[in-house]
Each structure stands twice: as structure tokens, then as C-alpha cells.
């Protein structure tokens, strides 16, 4: 059945979000690794009933794909949170701001841990990404216009035609080399607004041997999307 919030419910009770777009040429099913639920994309002319039949025909695959998604993680005291590729234990302490102390991430004891850690990660991300973007754009001799941070679900970064760079602040949770790769990828777009061989050559020149870091992001980036910083 379809509901007012653009969802259908499959025979086993699995909820599927509907996304209709005129750019889609065929029906597609996606199971995001951030745990946000199954998405069915429909071309503009396809009726919902046909979309539901399509999803039902792939129910077994959907069930398996959903089962492989780890549960969402909530940042709280005592939880291990990835910070620059290292798992740190969130530890309330007599501190004014988050502080790394060995394997502990000390946070103010009198404030909710989740929002505090999120704000701190955004600061870490901005410092690291600005430094990387400055260094790499100077090497490429293509200045950028501005940097912005977002909490995106479908991309780790982007570059506009007028030189504005956007990054996901969750990159502060990834290993530093992965963050560096994303910066190299977006800075390379300042010269090549495509994914042509010339673009990838530019990425390689900015970060030789970037392939393992790109592979890490593809294999494990979804884990970073599972973290929640409030209930």
C-alpha cells in the first residue's frame, strides 16, 4: 500500500521509501549503508503499484541487504567513537571542551556527549580539510573560492563550477589519509569537472597511491554514516 508520506509496505512488513524523479529511466532499489531504510526510485510515468510489484519481486534480496546493515550507533559516555581512524572511548571528565587523552575522548561531564562530540568533529574536519585544500590547490595552481561542511548522505565532497568545495564533516572520523584523498578528489575537480582520465591523473599527481584510500571509503565509509549524535 502507499501512504501519504511516500512509503510502501511490502508483504513482510518492510517499509520502502519512494523517490520519484523525471531523470530516472528505470526503477531502482537501494539500501543505504547509513541505516536510513530502503529507497525505491521510480521514473515519473511509473505507477506506484508497478513499483510495489518490482520491490516485492526482489524481497529476498532486500531482506538480506537490510540484515547486513549494522545497527545505528549513538554517541554516549563509554562508547568507542572513531576519530581520525582511531577508536576513542567517550569519557566524561572535568574538561571545558573535548580533549584526546590516549585512547579516551574526554568530554565535559555536565553536557550531553553527542552534540558536544559532533560540534568538535566539525571543528576538526574544518581544520584538516582547509589545510589539505590549501596545500593541494596551491600544488595544482587552481585556487578554490570557499569551503563548506555538510552532513551529506550520498557524497563525501563536491566542487562547483565557481570553485566552491563542500565536504562531509564525518570525514573527521575517517583515517587521515582517507580525508586527504577526498580533498585531493575535490581539488582535482577545480581543473577537471568530470571523471575523465585527465581528472584521475590529477588526483594521482596530488596524492600518489590514492587507490587504497578510495577503496576504504567505498568499503567502510557507510559505517561513519551510522553514527548518531542525539537520541
Amino acid at each position: 500500500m502507499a501512504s501519504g508520506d511516500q512509503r510502501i509496505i511490502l508483504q513482510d512488513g518492510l517499509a520502502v521509501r519512494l523517490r520519484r524523479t523525471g531523470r530516472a529511466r528505470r526503477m531502482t532499489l537501494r539500501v543505504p549503508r547509513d541505516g536510513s531504510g530502503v529507497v525505491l526510485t521510480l521514473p515519473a510515468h511509473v505507477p506506484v503499484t508497478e513499483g510495489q510489484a518490482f520491490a516485492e519481486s526482489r524481497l529476498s534480496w532486500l531482506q538480506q541487504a537490510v540484515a547486513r546493515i549494522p545497527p545505528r550507533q549513538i554517541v554516549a559516555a563509554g562508547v568507542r567513537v572513531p576519530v581520525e581512524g582511531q577508536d576513542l572511548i567517550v569519557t566524561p571528565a572535568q574538561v571545558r571542551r573535548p580533549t584526546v587523552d590516549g585512547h579516551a575522548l574526554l568530554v565535559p561531564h555536565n553536557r550531553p556527549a553527542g552534540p558536544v562530540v559532533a560540534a568538535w568533529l566539525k571543528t576538526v574536519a574544518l581544520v584538516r580539510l582547509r589545510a589539505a585544500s590549501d596545500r593541494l590547490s596551491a600544488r595544482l595552481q587552481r585556487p578554490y573560492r570557499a569551503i563548506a561542511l555538510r552532513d551529506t548522505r550520498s557524497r563525501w565532497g563536491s566542487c562547483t563550477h565557481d570553485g566552491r568545495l563542500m565536504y562531509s564533516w564525518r570525514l573527521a572520523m575517517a583515517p587521515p589519509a582517507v580525508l586527504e584523498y577526498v580533498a585531493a578528489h575535490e581539488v582535482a575537480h577545480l581543473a577537471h569537472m568530470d571523471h575523465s582520465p585527465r581528472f584521475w591523473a590529477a588526483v594521482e599527481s596530488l596524492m600518489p597511491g590514492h587507490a587504497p584510500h578510495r577503496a576504504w571509503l567505498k568499503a567502510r565509509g557507510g559505517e561513519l554514516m551510522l553514527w548518531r549524535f542525539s537520541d
Side-chain angles (χ1 to χ4, degrees):
M1 68 178 180
S3 60
D5 63 352
Q6 292 299 294
R7 290 175 181 264
I8 58 175
I9 306 299
L10 304 186
Q11 292 179 6
D12 70 336
L14 180 65
V16 176
R17 288 184 291 133
L18 292 180
R19 178 175 176 268
R20 191 180 290 277
T21 171
R23 292 177 296 176
R25 296 188 176 184
R26 58 189 177 86
M27 294 182 287
T28 59
L29 281 165
R30 185 167 60 91
V31 183
R33 289 189 59 82
D34 65 359
S36 58
V38 180
V39 179
L40 170 62
T41 299
L42 297 178
H45 64 280
V46 174
V48 172
T49 53
E50 187 174 334
Q52 173 139 6
F54 173 72
E56 295 280 8
S57 72
R58 286 154 178 77
L59 183 57
S60 178
W61 174 82
L62 285 173
Q63 291 170 332
Q64 294 175 31
V66 170
R68 288 194 296 268
I69 300 296
R72 293 188 180 189
Q73 304 276 2
I74 301 294
V75 174
V79 172
R80 291 182 179 271
V81 177
V83 176
E84 297 191 299
Q86 301 295 319
D87 286 342
L88 302 181
I89 303 173
V90 178
T91 307
Q94 295 284 346
V95 294
R96 297 182 61 183
R97 61 183 61 85
T99 304
V100 177
D101 183 10
H103 295 292
L105 176 59
L106 307 181
V107 297
H109 68 94
N110 57 350
R111 297 169 61 190
V116 169
V117 172
W120 178 72
L121 285 172
K122 292 174 186 178
T123 299
V124 172
L126 184 59
V127 170
R128 303 288 190 268
L129 288 163
R130 178 173 286 154
S133 300
D134 286 349
R135 184 178 65 257
L136 295 168
S137 63
R139 188 182 307 169
L140 192 65
Q141 298 184 337
R142 294 292 184 107
Y144 65 90
R145 185 171 181 180
I147 283 182
L149 298 182
R150 299 283 187 272
D151 192 12
T152 53
R153 288 288 179 264
S154 60
R155 59 178 62 187
W156 293 102
S158 64
C159 176
T160 64
H161 285 277
D162 62 351
R164 297 177 185 272
L165 303 176
M166 184 284 296
Y167 298 106
S168 167
W169 59 261
R170 290 177 185 258
L171 287 167
M173 306 169 78
V178 173
L179 179 147
E180 181 85 3
Y181 158 68
V182 175
H185 185 115
E186 300 312 329
V187 166
H189 277 311
L190 294 170
H192 308 287
M193 290 297 294
D194 54 28
H195 289 98
S196 64
R198 290 192 306 164
F199 164 80
W200 287 112
V203 175
E204 181 66 17
S205 71
L206 293 173
M207 189 180 189
H210 68 275
H213 313 305
R214 182 187 181 196
W216 188 98
L217 202 58
K218 183 176 181 180
R220 301 190 56 190
E223 298 173 15
L224 307 185
M225 296 297 184
L226 293 170
W227 286 96
R228 294 294 175 265
F229 297 84
S230 61
D231 294 333

